[in-house]
């Protein structure tokens, strides 16, 4: 359970809003004075980021693209029907040889006349008529030995063609498998990107909260040092302390002012980063504080066993291995013959048509298909090895993050005890100094020790939050981070 407010000196009396009036005076270049400050919880920030960020919109578009691509090739392997219109003009010149035609014509005429003479006339009258063959030969010689024919025409020919693959060696099924795997991979990529955005938001949001606590702590320390310095001036004027002792307080006050200015600058930078991530310029008040869960609800053995089913990175790499396997099938299919049926029907007045079956087998293309298959198999093997190596790295990260979470919880309990002791020590040193039984250095050291513990508690809480976020992201369950904020037995660094 959270300790009472009196047990947390880190819960500074000054609120963050009032502190910003002093600490963010030079922040006007980022937040216009006319712009109202915006309060936002981590839950609200996560919801806004995951719905409207540029990364989310980009990954949604890529995911939809992959899904549409998979749907687009579902009909791969069905008949392809095309409407074709060919409009063309042609000019063709042909040289037709006529020598054989002349010889055949002369022979035919001569034989025909001879046959008629032999059938109808006596032999004594047939011989004079044989002289008619010479005019026939002379007439045939008037025909040229060759003739050139010129063909010119313009044609518009519409047709409908159909082609259907009958056998592709597995190329069609491999293409569909690859498209489906890529669609699944794109969905996991979107999920992975959301996890990355959650981690970035946790880092930016709670880093701003850390810087806020450091500003509050340094402001509290500066106010205390200013008060010590004012008291030291009075005591010097009254002769109770020397000038050297008073100057020690002045140096401590100046150091506290320098620390305060540095923490203010860090706060401005962290708020700018958070606003930039959220595509805003008005966020100044963060309502979800740093926290530490006092009890574990994770089991390291269970985490190491279940992360493979949870981690989007592992599932994505497993799909990469499946994708490489589908590529092996596609490369093997390229070695096999293709068989397809085809047909074409003319839509003009001639209504010509043709149907048939064709087979195609590539004999040589300049590509060594066997080596292409071997290369695809090596890619699949490498993908499987990289998946196993990634699992090793994730397991190491889960184990180390789990230990860091445990260490931060243990440190928090010790820091709470030390904080009470530092508060009491400062009270004692202040009384001793007033009674002239202590030195200025002892008071300054006590004040710095208290301030250091306050800052260390905030730093330890931030370490816990980031270790928890790293653990959950490595496991693949960073979407459950919000549930840890509102758990029972949780200390809030307000």
């Amino acid at each position: 359970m959270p300790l009472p407010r009196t047990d947390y000196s880190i819960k500074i009396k000054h609120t963050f809003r009032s502190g910003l009036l002093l600490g963010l005076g030079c922040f006007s270049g980022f937040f216009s004075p006319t712009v109202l400050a915006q309060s936002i919880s981590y839950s609200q920030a996560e919801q806004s980021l995951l719905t409207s960020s540029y990364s989310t919109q980009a990954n949604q578009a890529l995911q939809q693209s992959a899904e549409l691509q998979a749907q687009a090739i579902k009909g791969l392997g069905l008949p392809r029907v095309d409407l074709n219109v060919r409009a063309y003009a042609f000019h063709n010149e042909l040289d037709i040889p006529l020598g054989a035609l002349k010889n055949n014509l002369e022979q035919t005429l001569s034989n025909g006349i001879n046959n008629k003479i032999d059938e109808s006339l006596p032999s004594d009258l047939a011989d004079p008529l044989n002289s008619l063959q010479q005019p026939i030969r002379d007439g045939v010689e008037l025909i040229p030995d060759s003739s050139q024919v010129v063909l010119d025409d313009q044609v518009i020919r519409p047709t409908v063609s159909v082609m259907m693959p009958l056998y592709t060696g597995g190329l069609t099924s491999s293409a569909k498998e690859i498209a489906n795997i890529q669609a699944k991979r794109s969905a996991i990529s979107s999920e992975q990107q959301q996890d990355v955005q959650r981690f970035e938001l946790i880092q930016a949001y709670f880093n701003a909260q850390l810087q806020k606590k450091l500003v509050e702590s340094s402001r509290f320390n500066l106010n205390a040092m200013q008060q010590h310095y004012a008291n030291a001036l009075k005591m010097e004027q009254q002769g109770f302390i020397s000038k050297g002792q008073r100057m020690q307080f002045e140096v401590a006050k100046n150091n506290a002012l320098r620390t305060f200015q540095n923490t203010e600058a860090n706060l401005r930078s962290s708020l700018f980063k958070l606003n930039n991530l959220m595509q805003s310029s008005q966020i100044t008040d963060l309502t979800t504080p740093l926290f530490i869960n006092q009890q574990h609800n994770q089991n390291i053995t269970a985490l190491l066993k279940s992360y493979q089913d949870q981690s989007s990175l592992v599932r994505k790499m497993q799909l990469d291995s499946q994708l490489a396997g589908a590529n092996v099938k596609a490369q093997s299919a390229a070695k096999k013959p293709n068989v397809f049926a085809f047909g074409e029907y003319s839509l003009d007045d001639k209504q010509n048509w043709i149907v048939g079956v064709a087979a195609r087998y590539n004999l040589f293309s300049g590509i060594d298909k066997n080596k292409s298959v071997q290369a695809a198999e090596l890619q699949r093997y490498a993908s499987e090895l990289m998946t196993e190596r990634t699992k090793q790295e994730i397991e190491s990260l889960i184990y180390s993050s789990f230990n860091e979470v445990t260490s931060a919880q243990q440190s928090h309990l010790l820091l709470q005890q030390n904080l009470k002791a530092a508060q009491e020590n400062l009270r004692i040193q202040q009384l001793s100094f007033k009674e002239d039984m202590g030195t200025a250095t002892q008071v300054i050291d006590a004040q710095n020790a208290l301030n250091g513990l306050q800052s260390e508690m905030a730093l330890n809480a931030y370490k816990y939050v980031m270790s928890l976020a790293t653990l959950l992201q490595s496991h693949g369950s960073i979407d459950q981070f919000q549930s840890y904020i509102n758990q029972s037995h949780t200390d809030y660094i307000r």
Side-chain angles (χ1 to χ4, degrees):
M1 295 293 293
L3 294 176
R5 182 178 294 271
T6 54
D7 292 335
Y8 284 96
S9 65
I10 197 169
K11 298 175 182 178
I12 310 303
K13 296 180 182 179
H14 301 286
T15 65
F16 180 48
R17 188 184 300 276
S18 62
L20 285 176
L21 297 177
L22 172 64
L24 302 182
C26 58
F27 210 16
S28 58
F30 180 52
F31 294 113
S32 172
T34 60
V35 175
L36 297 177
Q38 177 182 352
S39 298
I40 190 169
S41 66
Y42 172 79
S43 176
Q44 293 170 331
E46 180 182 298
Q47 182 179 3
S48 175
L49 182 65
L50 295 182
T51 55
S52 61
S53 71
Y54 298 128
S55 297
T56 296
Q57 296 178 56
N59 278 276
Q60 287 176 349
L62 291 174
Q63 181 179 349
Q64 292 175 3
S65 174
E67 291 173 353
L68 291 174
Q69 185 65 30
Q71 294 174 9
I73 66 170
K74 279 185 176 180
L76 196 63
L78 296 177
R80 171 175 173 170
V81 180
D82 295 311
L83 175 62
N84 311 302
V85 178
R86 301 184 182 94
Y88 56 91
F90 65 87
H91 173 83
N92 193 8
E93 296 182 0
L94 298 176
D95 288 330
I96 302 176
L98 301 178
L101 177 62
K102 290 167 58 178
N103 292 333
N104 290 336
L105 179 60
E106 180 182 351
Q107 188 67 33
T108 300
L109 292 175
S110 297
N111 291 338
I113 292 174
N114 290 335
N115 292 335
K116 291 297 183 179
I117 292 173
D118 292 339
E119 292 175 0
S120 59
L121 294 176
S123 59
D124 56 342
L125 295 177
D127 291 337
L129 292 176
N130 288 333
S131 61
L132 292 174
Q133 294 181 0
Q134 183 62 38
I136 293 174
R137 185 178 297 107
D138 293 340
V140 171
E141 287 297 328
L142 295 177
I143 301 174
D145 292 335
S146 64
S147 177
Q148 186 179 60
V149 179
V150 178
L151 301 176
D152 288 294
D153 200 358
Q154 294 181 351
V155 178
I156 297 178
R157 179 173 297 170
T159 62
V160 174
S161 62
V162 179
M163 187 178 70
M164 179 176 179
L166 301 178
Y167 176 75
T168 61
L171 188 61
T172 300
S173 58
S174 297
K176 291 181 179 180
E177 182 181 1
I178 289 173
N180 290 329
I181 293 175
Q182 287 177 337
K184 294 178 182 178
R185 187 180 184 277
S186 181
I188 294 179
S189 294
S190 296
E191 179 183 336
Q192 184 183 21
Q193 183 60 36
Q194 286 189 340
D195 289 347
V196 170
Q197 289 185 92
R198 286 189 179 97
F199 187 86
E200 290 178 348
L201 178 62
I202 292 170
Q203 188 176 34
Y205 188 96
F206 289 99
N207 180 60
Q209 284 288 48
L210 170 63
Q211 300 306 322
K212 163 191 164 182
K213 299 308 300 180
L214 294 179
V215 167
E216 292 176 351
S217 178
S218 60
R219 181 187 296 110
F220 182 83
N221 185 59
L222 175 60
N223 292 337
M225 287 301 178
Q226 288 175 336
Q227 185 62 43
H228 290 329
Y229 178 68
N231 293 336
L233 279 176
K234 294 178 182 179
M235 296 179 71
E236 180 189 12
Q237 293 172 356
Q238 296 173 0
F240 290 105
I241 62 174
S242 65
K243 179 179 179 182
Q245 290 178 308
R246 189 267 302 167
M247 293 183 66
Q248 287 180 322
F249 282 102
E250 184 176 0
V251 172
K253 180 201 69 169
N254 292 337
N255 288 336
L257 178 59
R258 181 170 54 84
T259 300
F260 175 68
Q261 292 172 343
N262 290 336
T263 55
E264 272 192 322
N266 292 336
L267 176 59
R268 290 194 295 270
S269 297
S270 62
L271 283 176
F272 180 87
K273 182 177 180 179
L274 176 61
N275 276 270
N276 193 31
L277 182 64
M278 297 297 299
Q279 302 175 30
S280 176
S281 61
Q282 305 176 19
I283 300 174
T284 58
D285 190 12
L286 311 180
T287 59
T288 302
L290 289 165
F291 66 93
I292 292 184
N293 303 119
Q294 297 179 2
Q295 297 180 355
H296 262 310
N297 64 344
Q298 308 110 334
N299 180 278
I300 185 62
T301 303
L303 290 173
L304 290 174
K305 287 183 177 180
S306 60
Y307 80 91
Q308 295 186 35
D309 297 328
Q310 294 287 333
S311 173
S312 57
L313 176 58
V314 172
R315 288 185 286 124
K316 182 178 177 180
M317 297 191 71
Q318 289 172 342
L319 284 180
D320 287 339
S321 297
Q322 294 180 23
L323 196 61
N327 185 43
V328 173
K329 296 179 183 178
Q331 295 297 332
S332 299
K335 298 170 55 180
K336 300 176 181 179
N338 294 330
V339 180
F340 56 92
F342 66 92
E344 186 172 76
Y345 179 78
S346 176
L347 299 179
D348 57 13
D349 55 350
K350 297 181 180 180
Q351 297 183 348
N352 297 326
W353 58 269
I354 182 174
V355 294
V357 176
R360 179 175 60 193
Y361 182 76
N362 178 253
L363 298 177
F364 179 77
S365 65
I367 298 175
D368 191 330
K369 295 183 175 60
N370 291 326
K371 291 185 177 179
S372 296
V373 173
Q374 292 175 4
E377 290 175 344
L378 288 173
Q379 289 175 352
R380 178 180 61 183
Y381 179 62
S383 179
E384 292 172 351
L385 292 178
M386 290 303 299
T387 301
E388 295 304 314
R389 175 54 183 158
T390 300
K391 290 179 182 179
Q392 290 180 328
E393 294 177 352
I394 291 177
E395 289 170 359
S396 297
L397 193 57
I398 288 175
Y399 191 83
S400 61
S401 299
F402 182 86
N403 288 333
E404 289 175 359
V405 167
T406 304
S407 176
Q409 290 174 323
Q410 295 171 347
S411 297
H412 180 68
L413 296 176
L414 296 175
L415 287 171
Q416 286 179 318
Q417 299 174 7
N418 291 345
L419 188 63
K420 295 178 181 179
Q423 290 172 336
E424 180 63 18
N425 179 55
L426 177 60
R427 187 185 67 83
I428 292 173
Q429 295 301 329
Q430 289 174 335
L431 290 176
S432 298
F433 184 76
K434 290 180 180 179
E435 298 296 331
D436 202 21
M437 299 178 63
T439 64
T441 301
Q442 292 173 328
V443 176
I444 294 171
D445 290 344
Q447 182 64 56
N448 287 335
L450 176 60
N451 178 67
L453 282 171
Q454 292 169 345
S455 299
E456 192 171 351
M457 285 190 71
L459 287 167
N460 186 67
Y462 179 71
K463 173 187 175 184
Y464 172 82
V465 169
M466 293 310 302
S467 299
L468 176 62
T470 302
L471 175 64
L472 295 177
Q473 186 182 32
S474 302
H475 180 258
S477 54
I478 196 172
D479 57 325
Q480 302 176 11
F481 177 82
Q482 289 190 49
S483 64
Y484 290 83
I485 298 176
N486 300 317
Q487 281 187 2
S488 58
H489 306 292
T490 299
D491 285 346
Y492 299 98
I493 312 300
R494 301 186 185 277

